[in-house]
Amino acid sequence: MDFTPTEEQEAARDLAARIFGDLATHERLAAAGTGSDAELWKALCAAGLPGAVEETGLLGLVLLLEEQGRRTAQVPLAATCVYGILAVARHGTEEQRARLLPGLRDGTTVVTGAFPGTGGVVAHEGRLGGAVEWVPWLRDATHVLVADAERGLWLVRTEDAARIEPVELTAPWSAGRLVLDGTAAERLGTGSGSGAGSGSGSGSDAVGPGFDAYTDVLVAARVAFAGLQAGVCAGSLAKAVEYTSVREQFGRPLATHQAVQLRAADAYMDTEAIRVTAYEAAWRHDEGLDAAEAALTAAWWASEAGKRVVHTGQHLHGGMGADLDHPVHRHFLWGRQLDAYLGCGTELLAELGDLLAKGDPS
């Protein structure tokens, strides 16, 4: 394994850091409220960053999302890249790729995902029925990738949905409730259990044998949002370090107290664990290897350790951390929302245990 970024990945990450640093300021985030920052999204797309993920892969996307997480920037980058660009590039037909990818690259097409499949959506002859209680970034999306009860993937235009109802989450993700009632949809990828590279006009052969489209997209989503959590945690910890270095108690900075140092050190180790497990899973995915176990491991660390880190970041700010308008509180809200979106630690451990039990006992 080699997690060293390529020149292209480093260049994309550095460019993203500059754009997020310039535009995802505390003042702009406060002004955006619970909605997305349209100007920031246009800047990212104009710089070619979403489209670059086709070349830099899932590891490159994780690097971009770390920078987004550091700033808690309110744009649908993870959703569009995972459920849109990577899903279409890897599993779309030649016609779907030619039709959808240009808009995804320039930001005029925004895709989110009703994921993972919970059995709430049923497909019949190319039409979908059912409801998904909350979908992140749905209010910004032009399309939504829906997983049906049989793990089939369908692209639905949001304008064709029976109803989209606004839903406010802990984090400001422009979420909505998706209601489908005989809604027309187009199939994406192969069914469960067949190779995603097989079949007429299917996507990239980089997907490993035995990988259906649903599993591949679910793996990519878990890894991407774990990378986003790594950035959220890094940003929270950086703010705590800055604050405790200048805030004095009993005549000396808080950072000189051993209890503060130990809490910060534990948070740093947790953040690094999230990062390295996300990197490993992304690398395996990009190499066409089985990444399901690695993705669950990364998601578990992002869920369990992520909660600890954002709680620490807020705690080390003392009374300031309880201020809902303080920047560190935004990291706390994002960290808790990512914990919920990834599935919570005990659920992920149970799924990982079932997956390991199906493997070779030797």
Side-chain angles (χ1 to χ4, degrees):
M1 293 180 289
D2 184 3
F3 306 149
T4 304
T6 64
E7 290 184 7
E8 292 78 9
Q9 290 169 339
E10 283 188 336
R13 178 190 61 193
D14 293 345
L15 178 57
R18 288 199 297 273
I19 294 174
F20 286 128
D22 290 341
L23 296 181
T25 62
H26 174 59
E27 293 74 21
R28 287 179 59 87
L29 289 169
T34 61
S36 297
D37 188 330
E39 182 180 344
L40 175 56
W41 180 241
K42 289 179 181 178
L44 292 170
C45 294
L49 290 174
V53 172
E54 290 178 76
E55 299 297 326
T56 61
L58 185 56
L59 182 55
L61 175 59
V62 166
L63 296 174
L64 297 183
L65 294 175
E66 279 192 81
E67 299 304 325
Q68 179 187 359
R70 290 178 195 275
R71 299 283 182 170
T72 58
Q74 293 168 203
V75 287
L77 180 60
T80 289
C81 288
V82 168
Y83 301 123
I85 289 176
L86 289 179
V88 171
R90 290 169 69 88
H91 303 289
T93 65
E94 185 175 340
E95 186 277 332
Q96 286 174 322
R97 294 197 297 270
R99 171 165 48 90
L100 295 169
L101 284 176
L104 287 165
R105 294 176 187 130
D106 65 23
T108 56
T109 300
V110 176
V111 178
T112 189
F115 241 75
T118 59
V121 175
V122 177
H124 180 68
E125 296 182 351
R127 293 188 174 271
L128 305 181
V132 183
E133 292 306 311
W134 66 275
V135 180
W137 308 110
L138 184 61
R139 284 177 275 163
D140 293 337
T142 59
H143 295 71
V144 55
L145 185 65
V146 180
D148 66 26
E150 303 298 321
R151 292 163 49 111
L153 297 186
W154 303 85
L155 268 176
V156 176
R157 294 189 305 174
T158 52
E159 65 182 23
D160 293 336
R163 194 162 65 254
I164 291 177
E165 303 166 352
V167 174
E168 296 303 335
L169 305 178
T170 303
W173 286 2
S174 297
R177 181 174 185 264
L178 178 68
V179 181
L180 305 169
D181 185 9
T183 303
E186 61 175 311
R187 186 65 183 264
L188 185 74
T190 59
S192 177
S194 46
S198 64
S200 175
S202 63
S204 169
D205 291 332
V207 185
F211 273 59
D212 58 279
Y214 174 88
T215 299
D216 186 60
V217 174
L218 179 57
V219 164
R222 283 172 166 162
V223 176
F225 282 95
L228 184 60
Q229 182 76 300
V232 169
C233 291
S236 176
L237 183 57
K239 285 179 170 54
V241 169
E242 180 182 10
Y243 178 80
T244 57
S245 296
V246 297
R247 180 77 166 91
E248 291 191 357
Q249 189 178 63
F250 306 120
R252 57 194 179 108
L254 284 172
T256 63
H257 293 271
Q258 188 178 45
V260 173
Q261 294 172 356
L262 292 174
R263 286 294 300 276
D266 285 343
Y268 175 79
M269 294 302 295
D270 273 339
T271 301
E272 288 301 296
I274 300 170
R275 177 181 289 115
V276 73
T277 52
Y279 284 5
E280 179 186 0
W283 176 84
R284 293 186 65 85
H285 182 271
D286 289 342
E287 292 295 314
L289 303 172
D290 184 352
E293 294 176 10
L296 278 166
T297 302
W300 181 84
W301 274 104
S303 173
E304 289 293 293
K307 282 185 294 190
R308 292 195 294 267
V309 174
V310 295
H311 275 270
T312 294
Q314 193 170 30
H315 186 197
L316 292 181
H317 278 76
M320 295 297 294
D323 183 356
L324 301 185
D325 295 324
H326 194 282
V328 77
H329 189 70
R330 188 178 293 111
H331 286 80
F332 174 78
L333 296 177
W334 275 64
R336 293 312 308 258
Q337 186 62 59
L338 282 163
D339 165 43
Y341 188 63
L342 287 164
C344 301
T346 52
E347 296 177 9
L348 294 167
L349 275 185
E351 186 177 344
L352 179 58
D354 290 340
L355 187 63
L356 292 172
K358 294 176 183 177
D360 184 354
S362 63

